[in-house]
Amino acid sequence: MTQLTAPLRASDRPRKDVEPRRSLLLLLAVATGLSCAGNYVAQPLLDLISRELHLGSVLAGLLVTASQAGYALGLLLLVPLGDVVDRRRLAVTLFSATALFLTVSALASSGPVLLASTVLTALASVGAQVVVAHAATLATAENRGRAVALVMSGVLLGGLLARTAAGGLSELGGWRTPYAVLAVLMAGAALTLHRRLPRLPVSADLPYPALLRSTFALLREEPVLRRRALLGALSLASYSTQLTALTFLLSGAPFHWSAPAIGLFGLVGAVGVLTMTFAARLSDRGHVQKVTGVATVLLLAGWLILLAGERSLLWLAVGVVALNIGQQAVLNSSQTVIYGLRPEARNRINSAFSTSFFLGGTVGSALASLVWAAAGWPGVSTLGAALAAGAVGVWLWERTRD
């Protein structure tokens, strides 16, 4: 039976010469945030892009889908490489490629060019996940949860802040400006990682096809990874249901909010990011199951609160905060668990988990759109609560195996 807290192995023991300082972890958090931001730049700019490049609504909408598809491919095809090549070189290469593809987007003269560069940007942006796994390896087992939480906070804040920043920058110089600014920042991040990111020995020696096969084999061989992947998928599906339907709710009666106002309201989700370190400390102290249990119950409770938010902005805000805190705690506690399974396969484990995680989010968004059209906010709340209840069920199932 696989244990949730794996014994320390030689590669997992404290390394005083390598253990990352907080300044390095903060740098990695900023870098990962910039990397992920490129996947959200287009969302508030679709109308501007559509008008200038003469795109139809279908092609403009495909820009968002292209980001999701490119990121999913990157998680599957590129992240596992961190186990067989120099991880620092891989991260720097992916960050540099992201800067290049963002530049192509900023200069795009047609919809097909922008669509292609969007896919490639998202594909390369998984460099953020390579950096997260690197931070987990640099940290000792006793501090891994906090190290991962700090770096992951950059990933999550990058997604939250990118939409608002892109809207503001587009007011200054058009829709191309956010792409150009982010390209420059990503180039700077690549250079900084080259100078500051410590080197670590390669942990595996596998040809690429075998590497991909072993990623899927890990899901078969590690029951804890399977359960945590399912738990992550259900939790993000529940959370993404809210993200998608919230725009529909706030743009209609009784709120009638504009798109910029809706984007600013989404920033209340930053509260969830601020709680990640606290949850990580509890996980590092051996309370990972309690953290996960409380987080999944909070997801479920958040949807009960959101049901009352259909006509109350206060209840809506409280429910959104509850979902954000629950979602971030599920993610961090799950990463604490899976990164303790096989140190030599951390990138492949991260690839398997993150692919399941983000696929869950994509399914949640798609279901939310369908349910909103058929049953409105009450139907969406029921869907979100059902997905959250599924997450609670997976946690209870895991408790019986612990």
Side-chain angles (χ1 to χ4, degrees):
M1 180 173 62
T2 306
Q3 299 296 319
L4 282 181
T5 304
L8 287 178
R9 313 178 198 199
S11 61
D12 224 15
R13 289 172 187 150
R15 301 173 302 277
K16 294 182 180 179
D17 59 321
V18 182
E19 178 75 9
R21 295 181 179 180
R22 186 173 179 83
S23 59
L24 175 60
L25 293 176
L26 287 171
L27 169 64
L28 299 184
V30 172
T32 57
L34 291 172
S35 181
C36 289
N39 296 327
Y40 300 94
V41 166
Q43 291 186 8
L45 309 176
L46 292 179
D47 184 57
L48 294 174
I49 293 171
S50 180
R51 278 188 276 137
E52 182 172 328
L53 297 183
H54 307 291
L55 307 181
S57 58
V58 174
L59 185 56
L62 281 177
L63 291 174
V64 177
T65 305
S67 288
Q68 295 173 335
Y71 196 73
L73 283 174
L75 289 171
L76 275 174
L77 303 178
L78 299 180
V79 171
L81 287 170
D83 286 335
V84 296
V85 301
D86 179 0
R87 199 179 290 148
R88 186 184 74 163
R89 181 180 299 175
L90 177 61
V92 171
T93 299
L94 290 174
F95 272 63
S96 300
T98 303
L100 173 63
F101 297 137
L102 284 167
T103 302
V104 173
S105 293
L107 300 174
S109 58
S110 67
V113 172
L114 182 58
L115 191 63
S117 62
T118 297
V119 172
L120 293 172
T121 297
L123 187 75
S125 72
V126 297
Q129 293 296 333
V130 175
V131 170
V132 171
H134 199 72
T137 303
L138 287 173
T140 61
E142 293 82 1
N143 298 316
R144 184 176 300 126
R146 278 167 283 179
V148 171
L150 183 54
V151 178
M152 277 299 298
S153 68
V155 174
L156 300 166
L157 283 174
L160 283 171
L161 299 176
R163 302 173 182 88
T164 304
L169 288 171
S170 68
E171 293 290 326
L172 298 177
W175 68 267
R176 299 177 188 273
T177 304
Y179 286 101
V181 170
L182 188 55
V184 172
L185 292 175
M186 282 299 297
L191 180 61
T192 304
L193 289 179
H194 176 71
R195 292 177 173 175
R196 295 286 308 278
L197 197 61
R199 286 184 181 274
L200 290 174
V202 174
S203 58
D205 184 15
L206 292 170
Y208 185 65
L211 182 73
L212 294 183
R213 288 195 299 270
S214 69
T215 301
F216 291 102
L218 284 167
L219 280 170
R220 183 180 66 253
E221 297 166 2
E222 295 287 351
V224 171
L225 178 58
R226 286 199 304 273
R227 290 194 293 270
R228 285 287 164 167
L230 178 58
L231 179 60
L234 286 169
S235 65
L236 190 61
S238 178
Y239 178 71
S240 297
T241 297
Q242 169 259 140
L243 281 180
T244 300
L246 193 63
T247 300
F248 299 141
L249 178 66
L250 290 177
S251 61
F255 302 105
H256 300 293
W257 281 20
S258 64
I262 295 172
L264 287 173
F265 184 80
L267 293 181
V268 300
V271 175
V273 177
L274 298 177
T275 65
M276 283 185 71
T277 302
F278 175 71
R281 287 181 182 276
L282 292 176
S283 294
D284 284 339
R285 292 172 183 171
H287 303 299
V288 66
Q289 282 287 14
K290 292 179 181 177
V291 170
T292 305
V294 171
T296 55
V297 171
L298 191 57
L299 275 174
L300 181 57
W303 275 109
L304 300 179
I305 296 170
L306 282 172
L307 182 60
E310 186 175 14
R311 296 189 173 277
S312 169
L313 193 59
L314 175 61
W315 286 117
L316 199 62
V318 172
V320 167
V321 169
L323 255 65
N324 273 275
I325 293 174
Q327 168 56 35
Q328 306 314 329
V330 168
L331 174 60
N332 181 255
S333 61
S334 295
Q335 288 177 316
T336 300
V337 169
I338 65 171
Y339 284 140
L341 294 175
R342 296 192 190 181
E344 76 282 359
R346 281 208 175 105
N347 282 270
R348 282 166 285 167
I349 285 173
N350 188 28
S351 172
F353 174 81
S354 296
T355 300
S356 302
F357 184 71
F358 286 102
L359 283 176
T362 302
V363 170
S365 296
L367 289 176
S369 298
L370 294 173
V371 173
W372 173 268
W377 188 252
V380 166
S381 298
T382 302
L383 170 65
L387 292 167
V392 175
V394 173
W395 170 71
L396 291 172
W397 174 34
E398 185 173 68
R399 289 280 295 190
T400 66
R401 301 294 190 275
D402 186 10

